[in-house]
């Protein structure tokens, strides 16, 4: 019985000095947990005489109830205090008298503007296309018929039969080539949509499509353009590497890597030790696509590429998680202000 009293006194002192919810949780484990003080006390019941047991058990239960309710009110009190502390710290001063705006451009907008600026200087015109697209322009015109397995590469949000949210900006290739005859130098920035979501994939993200169609366009023109773009975006020493790939609307197709701007190509966590970072898909426009759009593929050819803007911004600014772009946290956006 005297131990019960001692435990109660010790508990009272400790709960009195408790400063945070973590400490209160800790007390709960130490007093009420499986290997806590009260469980140990109950284990001792077997050493008592049968007559003593009921009253001892009742006392221990009484203490348990006492501790439980004391901890419950302590936890509530701590939670309230912590909430007050946070409200105090994260308070927004709505009575701000300085009305000058402090807004800054979103990092995706910064990257989009920069690429458009560099490419318009090379003679590209900037167009925009519909975000709600037909199956025809998103897939079929780009040499991806209904049963083509390449459809699996782009998990699609359908609105109704034959109408969908565009999965890439490539439909603008077909829309433009149907209307305009070469020479073509087109740039199309915009939102694209895929049913995909984790630290590096978002259901909405941004791309810029580039398309050049003319006589005698070569893969070297594509590489030269990308090398120039990479050197302007990430610095002169940035190298560009082509890897063979597949897109139904380009032939040959390439996946384009840049030497890692973080480690200079030596290998680091950003490039997963490879020294290279994949940034875009590209290739020579497939003659099927040209013909689909009424362009003579024996006379004209071209190249196209599609850049993911979030990816570029993540590398450029060292942003680890794509979801940060869309949370609208002013502290995140503010870092990109002048
Ligand atoms: N549209 C492709 C994608 O989103 C990228 C691409 C564009 C590839 C142009 C080749 C040419 O994955």
């Amino acid at each position: 019985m005297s131990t019960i009293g001692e435990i109660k006194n010790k508990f009272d002192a400790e709960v009195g000095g408790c400063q945070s919810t973590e400490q209160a949780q800790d007390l709960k484990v130490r007093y009420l947990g499986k290997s806590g003080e009260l469980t140990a006390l109950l284990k001792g019941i077997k050493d008592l005489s049968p007559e003593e047991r009921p009253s001892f058990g009742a006392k221990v239960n009484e203490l348990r109830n006492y501790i439980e309710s004391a901890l419950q009110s302590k936890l509530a009190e701590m939670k309230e205090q912590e909430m007050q502390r946070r409200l105090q710290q994260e308070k927004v001063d709505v009575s701000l008298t300085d009305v000058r705006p402090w807004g800054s451009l979103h990092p995706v907008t910064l990257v989009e503007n920069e690429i458009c600026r560099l490419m318009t200087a090379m003679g590209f015109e900037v167009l925009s296309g519909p975000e709600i697209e037909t199956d025809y322009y998103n897939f079929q015109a780009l040499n991806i018929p209904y049963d083509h397995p390449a459809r699996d590469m782009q998990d699609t949000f359908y609105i109704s039969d034959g109408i969908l949210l565009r999965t890439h900006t490539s439909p603008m290739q077909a829309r433009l080539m149907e209307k305009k005859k070469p020479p073509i130098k087109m740039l199309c920035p915009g939102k694209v949509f895929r049913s995909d979501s984790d630290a590096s994939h978002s259901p909405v993200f941004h791309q810029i499509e580039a398309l050049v169609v003319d006589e005698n366009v070569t893969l070297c023109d594509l590489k030269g353009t990308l090398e120039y773009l990479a050197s302007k975006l990430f610095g002169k020493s940035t190298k560009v590497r082509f890897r063979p790939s597949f897109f139904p609307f380009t032939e040959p197709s390439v996946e384009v890597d840049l030497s890692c701007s973080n480690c200079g190509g030596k290998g680091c966590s950003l490039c997963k030790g490879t020294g290279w970072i994949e940034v875009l898909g590209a290739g020579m426009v497939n003659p099927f696509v040209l013909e689909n759009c009424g362009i003579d593929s024996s006379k004209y050819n071209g190249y196209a590429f599609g850049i993911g803007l979030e990816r570029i911004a993540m590398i450029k600014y060292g942003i680890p998680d794509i979801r940060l772009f869309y949370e609208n946290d002013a502290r995140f956006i503010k870092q990109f202000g002048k």
Side-chain angles (χ1 to χ4, degrees), residues 1-17 27 30-32 37-38 41 56 58-71:
M1 292 294 179
S2 66
T3 333
I4 294 182
E6 276 165 30
I7 292 180
K8 180 171 182 298
N9 289 344
K10 192 162 80 151
F11 172 76
D12 282 339
E14 287 198 274
V15 84
L27 281 184
R30 278 180 30 227
Y31 282 88
L32 304 176
E37 303 249 10
L38 285 199
L41 208 55
F56 180 78
K59 284 277 178 220
V60 176
N61 271 336
E62 204 178 287
L63 179 58
R64 166 178 293 277
N65 291 340
Y66 171 78
I67 291 180
E68 266 171 5
S69 76
L71 280 177

Side-chain angles (χ1 to χ4, degrees), residues 20 81 103 119 137 200 226 262 294 310 332 335:
S20 66
Q81 271 185 22
M119 304 274 295
Y137 285 113
S200 51
L226 290 174
N262 190 41
E310 279 80 354
F332 172 75
Q335 298 175 79

Side-chain angles (χ1 to χ4, degrees), residues 202-244:
S202 158
V204 188
F205 60 103
H206 299 76
Q207 288 188 335
I208 290 187
E209 191 79 10
L211 172 72
V212 171
V213 184
D214 204 343
E215 292 175 38
N216 304 318
V217 179
T218 71
L219 209 57
C220 290
D221 296 319
L222 169 64
K223 191 149 194 233
T225 308
L226 290 174
E227 275 170 354
Y228 172 75
L229 205 57
S231 74
K232 289 292 177 187
L233 286 172
F234 295 105
K236 273 216 172 72
S237 56
T238 311
K239 291 193 195 64
V240 176
R241 175 172 88 171
F242 280 6
R243 268 182 300 114

